[in-house]
Amino acid sequence: MHELSLIANLFEIMEEKAAEKNAKKITHVVLQVGKLSGVVPDLLITAFDIYKKDTMASEGELTIKEVPLKILCRDCKTEVVKDDFVFICTKCGSTNLKTLSGTELYLEKMELEID
Amino acid sequence: MGKDEKMKTKEVMVLEDLLGSNKKIAAEIRQKLTDTGILTINLLSSPGAGKTTLLESLSEILAPEYKMAVIEGDIETERDADRIRAKGIPAWQIITGGACHLEAKMIGKLLPEIPADLDFLFIENVGNLVCPASFDLGENIRCVLLSTPEGDDKPKKYPKAFTTSDCLVISKTDLVSVLPFNIERAKKEALEINPALITFTTSAQTGAGIKELAEYFSESLQKIRRTNA
């Protein structure tokens, strides 16, 4: 359950950005979570709801955008979305691959209430 | 009511990494230790896969020739650090008090105590095959252990630990004759999710494979020192 520690980091970033904009409240938060980020989206939501009490986001909602694991084969230049974690090109069998997306753990955007 | 009407809502794009601060601290640690000529190894596994025992065995091969030290991460007790100290190896115990993984800032706090004349710094992470995989500690080599009693199906069940590692150690191979564990199948599964993994099979009981692993660490140490020179 490292999700709680990630949510603590999220609140640090959120509060810093919200203060820069002189916001009063954080009403909505969108995270990008890659398939290979090593976190469980449902647990992030649970951790968010525990953590938000007595913060600027006490009434805020969290939306999670799941990002697929996408790889590029450097040999045959095919782009593949992987449902498993097998790092072998499905077209030519090469293991010379580059991960294009799927490891993200980003705060994408927030909705703020400003005076 | 009147006050609420004046409130404006505004959408702000941020696009910031939740692990950004950990990655930054880890990069600073890696830079500092590598510049000092110390090779840092982060050991990951489930509880009981044999990380401390592996370190005890490695110390017998490495300690006569090299200076090594160990940072131990556990939820409670100094037991693991005491086992390492009993071998004459300096050890620091980080007691996380419930946290399921080590973070770079915990290692950063210990950095001033790490002697500059070390060759190897081993970090034994909290026993957990899930959470530690997300946190870079500033290591040069991430090494995941998979012990034979755990079963050969673990790499695909816990992909993050295996995709982020540089080397895989299949431990407790002396038990393989009494277990339904297929070493080749475990290696194949691990290599499918991370073709760059360097694999070792070890038994701390018979000593098999420990020398090869120690050689891999020694060669990796020479590599970072050549790059520094």
Side-chain angles (χ1 to χ4, degrees), chain B residues 179-202:
Chain B
L179 294 168
F181 188 100
N182 184 319
I183 291 176
E184 289 315 311
R185 188 160 62 217
K187 275 190 192 171
K188 185 173 167 279
E189 276 224 352
L191 287 168
E192 276 177 2
I193 61 170
N194 181 358
L197 265 184
I198 300 169
T199 63
F200 296 91
T201 49
T202 64

mmCIF file of all heavy atoms in Angstrom, chain B residues 179-202:
data_model
loop_
_atom_site.group_PDB
_atom_site.id
_atom_site.type_symbol
_atom_site.label_atom_id
_atom_site.label_comp_id
_atom_site.label_asym_id
_atom_site.label_seq_id
_atom_site.Cartn_x
_atom_site.Cartn_y
_atom_site.Cartn_z
ATOM 1 N N LEU B 179 10.553 -29.295 -4.636
ATOM 2 C CA LEU B 179 9.512 -28.297 -4.936
ATOM 3 C C LEU B 179 9.107 -28.359 -6.405
ATOM 4 O O LEU B 179 9.920 -28.719 -7.249
ATOM 5 C CB LEU B 179 10.052 -26.884 -4.660
ATOM 6 C CG LEU B 179 10.373 -26.507 -3.214
ATOM 7 C CD1 LEU B 179 11.162 -25.207 -3.174
ATOM 8 C CD2 LEU B 179 9.093 -26.368 -2.398
ATOM 9 N N PRO B 180 7.881 -27.969 -6.706
ATOM 10 C CA PRO B 180 7.471 -27.938 -8.117
ATOM 11 C C PRO B 180 7.944 -26.662 -8.805
ATOM 12 O O PRO B 180 7.183 -26.003 -9.495
ATOM 13 C CB PRO B 180 5.936 -27.979 -8.021
ATOM 14 C CG PRO B 180 5.619 -27.321 -6.721
ATOM 15 C CD PRO B 180 6.778 -27.593 -5.803
ATOM 16 N N PHE B 181 9.183 -26.281 -8.577
ATOM 17 C CA PHE B 181 9.727 -25.048 -9.142
ATOM 18 C C PHE B 181 10.625 -25.393 -10.310
ATOM 19 O O PHE B 181 11.556 -26.179 -10.178
ATOM 20 C CB PHE B 181 10.538 -24.302 -8.064
ATOM 21 C CG PHE B 181 10.990 -22.916 -8.491
ATOM 22 C CD1 PHE B 181 10.291 -21.786 -8.077
ATOM 23 C CD2 PHE B 181 12.124 -22.737 -9.277
ATOM 24 C CE1 PHE B 181 10.708 -20.513 -8.441
ATOM 25 C CE2 PHE B 181 12.539 -21.461 -9.655
ATOM 26 C CZ PHE B 181 11.832 -20.347 -9.236
ATOM 27 N N ASN B 182 10.335 -24.779 -11.468
ATOM 28 C CA ASN B 182 11.131 -25.039 -12.653
ATOM 29 C C ASN B 182 11.999 -23.802 -12.933
ATOM 30 O O ASN B 182 11.486 -22.746 -13.300
ATOM 31 C CB ASN B 182 10.181 -25.333 -13.825
ATOM 32 C CG ASN B 182 10.927 -25.711 -15.089
ATOM 33 O OD1 ASN B 182 11.960 -25.125 -15.419
ATOM 34 N ND2 ASN B 182 10.392 -26.688 -15.804
ATOM 35 N N ILE B 183 13.299 -23.949 -12.701
ATOM 36 C CA ILE B 183 14.214 -22.805 -12.830
ATOM 37 C C ILE B 183 14.173 -22.212 -14.231
ATOM 38 O O ILE B 183 14.120 -20.993 -14.403
ATOM 39 C CB ILE B 183 15.653 -23.214 -12.442
ATOM 40 C CG1 ILE B 183 15.717 -23.479 -10.928
ATOM 41 C CG2 ILE B 183 16.662 -22.127 -12.821
ATOM 42 C CD1 ILE B 183 17.038 -23.971 -10.404
ATOM 43 N N GLU B 184 14.149 -23.078 -15.249
ATOM 44 C CA GLU B 184 14.145 -22.574 -16.626
ATOM 45 C C GLU B 184 12.868 -21.794 -16.931
ATOM 46 O O GLU B 184 12.888 -20.786 -17.616
ATOM 47 C CB GLU B 184 14.339 -23.727 -17.633
ATOM 48 C CG GLU B 184 15.762 -24.305 -17.614
ATOM 49 C CD GLU B 184 16.877 -23.238 -17.586
ATOM 50 O OE1 GLU B 184 16.828 -22.302 -18.407
ATOM 51 O OE2 GLU B 184 17.772 -23.316 -16.721
ATOM 52 N N ARG B 185 11.739 -22.297 -16.391
ATOM 53 C CA ARG B 185 10.469 -21.607 -16.618
ATOM 54 C C ARG B 185 10.478 -20.217 -15.951
ATOM 55 O O ARG B 185 10.031 -19.229 -16.523
ATOM 56 C CB ARG B 185 9.296 -22.440 -16.094
ATOM 57 C CG ARG B 185 7.934 -21.868 -16.467
ATOM 58 C CD ARG B 185 6.828 -22.907 -16.378
ATOM 59 N NE ARG B 185 6.672 -23.418 -15.022
ATOM 60 C CZ ARG B 185 6.388 -24.683 -14.737
ATOM 61 N NH1 ARG B 185 6.237 -25.574 -15.695
ATOM 62 N NH2 ARG B 185 6.248 -25.064 -13.482
ATOM 63 N N ALA B 186 11.017 -20.161 -14.734
ATOM 64 C CA ALA B 186 11.088 -18.879 -14.016
ATOM 65 C C ALA B 186 11.958 -17.881 -14.789
ATOM 66 O O ALA B 186 11.594 -16.721 -14.964
ATOM 67 C CB ALA B 186 11.650 -19.084 -12.619
ATOM 68 N N LYS B 187 13.103 -18.368 -15.287
ATOM 69 C CA LYS B 187 14.004 -17.495 -16.061
ATOM 70 C C LYS B 187 13.325 -17.015 -17.326
ATOM 71 O O LYS B 187 13.405 -15.842 -17.686
ATOM 72 C CB LYS B 187 15.263 -18.275 -16.468
ATOM 73 C CG LYS B 187 16.350 -18.294 -15.415
ATOM 74 C CD LYS B 187 17.607 -18.872 -16.049
ATOM 75 C CE LYS B 187 18.638 -19.196 -14.998
ATOM 76 N NZ LYS B 187 19.773 -19.949 -15.559
ATOM 77 N N LYS B 188 12.638 -17.951 -18.010
ATOM 78 C CA LYS B 188 11.979 -17.619 -19.277
ATOM 79 C C LYS B 188 10.907 -16.547 -19.052
ATOM 80 O O LYS B 188 10.844 -15.556 -19.778
ATOM 81 C CB LYS B 188 11.362 -18.895 -19.868
ATOM 82 C CG LYS B 188 10.740 -18.716 -21.247
ATOM 83 C CD LYS B 188 10.301 -20.054 -21.843
ATOM 84 C CE LYS B 188 9.405 -19.857 -23.054
ATOM 85 N NZ LYS B 188 7.993 -19.581 -22.721
ATOM 86 N N GLU B 189 10.096 -16.731 -18.007
ATOM 87 C CA GLU B 189 9.041 -15.746 -17.690
ATOM 88 C C GLU B 189 9.637 -14.386 -17.392
ATOM 89 O O GLU B 189 9.135 -13.361 -17.838
ATOM 90 C CB GLU B 189 8.250 -16.206 -16.456
ATOM 91 C CG GLU B 189 7.161 -17.169 -16.757
ATOM 92 C CD GLU B 189 5.869 -16.802 -15.995
ATOM 93 O OE1 GLU B 189 5.904 -15.902 -15.145
ATOM 94 O OE2 GLU B 189 4.839 -17.437 -16.258
ATOM 95 N N ALA B 190 10.717 -14.388 -16.617
ATOM 96 C CA ALA B 190 11.344 -13.122 -16.224
ATOM 97 C C ALA B 190 11.945 -12.427 -17.442
ATOM 98 O O ALA B 190 11.814 -11.224 -17.606
ATOM 99 C CB ALA B 190 12.402 -13.371 -15.162
ATOM 100 N N LEU B 191 12.577 -13.214 -18.328
ATOM 101 C CA LEU B 191 13.209 -12.629 -19.511
ATOM 102 C C LEU B 191 12.183 -12.143 -20.530
ATOM 103 O O LEU B 191 12.452 -11.226 -21.293
ATOM 104 C CB LEU B 191 14.172 -13.627 -20.154
ATOM 105 C CG LEU B 191 15.471 -13.828 -19.365
ATOM 106 C CD1 LEU B 191 16.237 -15.033 -19.906
ATOM 107 C CD2 LEU B 191 16.358 -12.587 -19.400
ATOM 108 N N GLU B 192 10.994 -12.753 -20.503
ATOM 109 C CA GLU B 192 9.938 -12.276 -21.405
ATOM 110 C C GLU B 192 9.480 -10.872 -21.018
ATOM 111 O O GLU B 192 9.179 -10.059 -21.882
ATOM 112 C CB GLU B 192 8.735 -13.229 -21.375
ATOM 113 C CG GLU B 192 8.913 -14.401 -22.319
ATOM 114 C CD GLU B 192 7.775 -15.399 -22.247
ATOM 115 O OE1 GLU B 192 6.809 -15.182 -21.492
ATOM 116 O OE2 GLU B 192 7.870 -16.417 -22.953
ATOM 117 N N ILE B 193 9.430 -10.600 -19.724
ATOM 118 C CA ILE B 193 8.986 -9.255 -19.340
ATOM 119 C C ILE B 193 10.152 -8.276 -19.242
ATOM 120 O O ILE B 193 9.950 -7.080 -19.286
ATOM 121 C CB ILE B 193 8.135 -9.250 -18.049
ATOM 122 C CG1 ILE B 193 8.904 -9.791 -16.853
ATOM 123 C CG2 ILE B 193 6.853 -10.023 -18.232
ATOM 124 C CD1 ILE B 193 8.155 -9.570 -15.565
ATOM 125 N N ASN B 194 11.371 -8.792 -19.155
ATOM 126 C CA ASN B 194 12.546 -7.910 -19.170
ATOM 127 C C ASN B 194 13.737 -8.635 -19.808
ATOM 128 O O ASN B 194 14.535 -9.272 -19.124
ATOM 129 C CB ASN B 194 12.894 -7.469 -17.741
ATOM 130 C CG ASN B 194 14.086 -6.529 -17.711
ATOM 131 O OD1 ASN B 194 14.687 -6.214 -18.743
ATOM 132 N ND2 ASN B 194 14.437 -6.073 -16.521
ATOM 133 N N PRO B 195 13.845 -8.526 -21.150
ATOM 134 C CA PRO B 195 14.895 -9.273 -21.865
ATOM 135 C C PRO B 195 16.315 -8.879 -21.456
ATOM 136 O O PRO B 195 17.262 -9.620 -21.723
ATOM 137 C CB PRO B 195 14.647 -8.896 -23.335
ATOM 138 C CG PRO B 195 13.239 -8.411 -23.389
ATOM 139 C CD PRO B 195 12.968 -7.783 -22.061
ATOM 140 N N ALA B 196 16.482 -7.734 -20.782
ATOM 141 C CA ALA B 196 17.832 -7.291 -20.413
ATOM 142 C C ALA B 196 18.294 -7.835 -19.059
ATOM 143 O O ALA B 196 19.429 -7.596 -18.644
ATOM 144 C CB ALA B 196 17.863 -5.762 -20.397
ATOM 145 N N LEU B 197 17.418 -8.578 -18.353
ATOM 146 C CA LEU B 197 17.783 -9.094 -17.028
ATOM 147 C C LEU B 197 18.985 -10.033 -17.095
ATOM 148 O O LEU B 197 19.048 -10.907 -17.951
ATOM 149 C CB LEU B 197 16.630 -9.906 -16.442
ATOM 150 C CG LEU B 197 15.620 -9.278 -15.499
ATOM 151 C CD1 LEU B 197 14.659 -10.366 -15.029
ATOM 152 C CD2 LEU B 197 16.282 -8.605 -14.313
ATOM 153 N N ILE B 198 19.919 -9.860 -16.156
ATOM 154 C CA ILE B 198 21.023 -10.802 -16.021
ATOM 155 C C ILE B 198 20.622 -11.763 -14.907
ATOM 156 O O ILE B 198 20.220 -11.320 -13.827
ATOM 157 C CB ILE B 198 22.322 -10.054 -15.665
ATOM 158 C CG1 ILE B 198 22.635 -9.053 -16.778
ATOM 159 C CG2 ILE B 198 23.483 -11.011 -15.445
ATOM 160 C CD1 ILE B 198 23.717 -8.070 -16.434
ATOM 161 N N THR B 199 20.646 -13.076 -15.188
ATOM 162 C CA THR B 199 20.101 -14.011 -14.194
ATOM 163 C C THR B 199 21.187 -14.841 -13.514
ATOM 164 O O THR B 199 22.195 -15.199 -14.126
ATOM 165 C CB THR B 199 19.065 -14.965 -14.837
ATOM 166 O OG1 THR B 199 19.732 -15.748 -15.828
ATOM 167 C CG2 THR B 199 17.925 -14.200 -15.490
ATOM 168 N N PHE B 200 20.948 -15.127 -12.232
ATOM 169 C CA PHE B 200 21.848 -15.964 -11.431
ATOM 170 C C PHE B 200 21.003 -16.965 -10.656
ATOM 171 O O PHE B 200 19.858 -16.668 -10.307
ATOM 172 C CB PHE B 200 22.632 -15.106 -10.428
ATOM 173 C CG PHE B 200 23.549 -14.113 -11.077
ATOM 174 C CD1 PHE B 200 23.101 -12.824 -11.377
ATOM 175 C CD2 PHE B 200 24.853 -14.462 -11.423
ATOM 176 C CE1 PHE B 200 23.936 -11.909 -12.002
ATOM 177 C CE2 PHE B 200 25.693 -13.551 -12.043
ATOM 178 C CZ PHE B 200 25.238 -12.272 -12.330
ATOM 179 N N THR B 201 21.571 -18.132 -10.409
ATOM 180 C CA THR B 201 20.903 -19.084 -9.519
ATOM 181 C C THR B 201 21.835 -19.324 -8.345
ATOM 182 O O THR B 201 23.033 -19.566 -8.532
ATOM 183 C CB THR B 201 20.606 -20.415 -10.230
ATOM 184 O OG1 THR B 201 21.804 -20.853 -10.888
ATOM 185 C CG2 THR B 201 19.512 -20.285 -11.267
ATOM 186 N N THR B 202 21.293 -19.203 -7.135
ATOM 187 C CA THR B 202 22.168 -19.321 -5.960
ATOM 188 C C THR B 202 21.562 -20.229 -4.896
ATOM 189 O O THR B 202 20.344 -20.444 -4.850
ATOM 190 C CB THR B 202 22.376 -17.935 -5.291
ATOM 191 O OG1 THR B 202 21.118 -17.467 -4.810
ATOM 192 C CG2 THR B 202 22.980 -16.916 -6.228
#
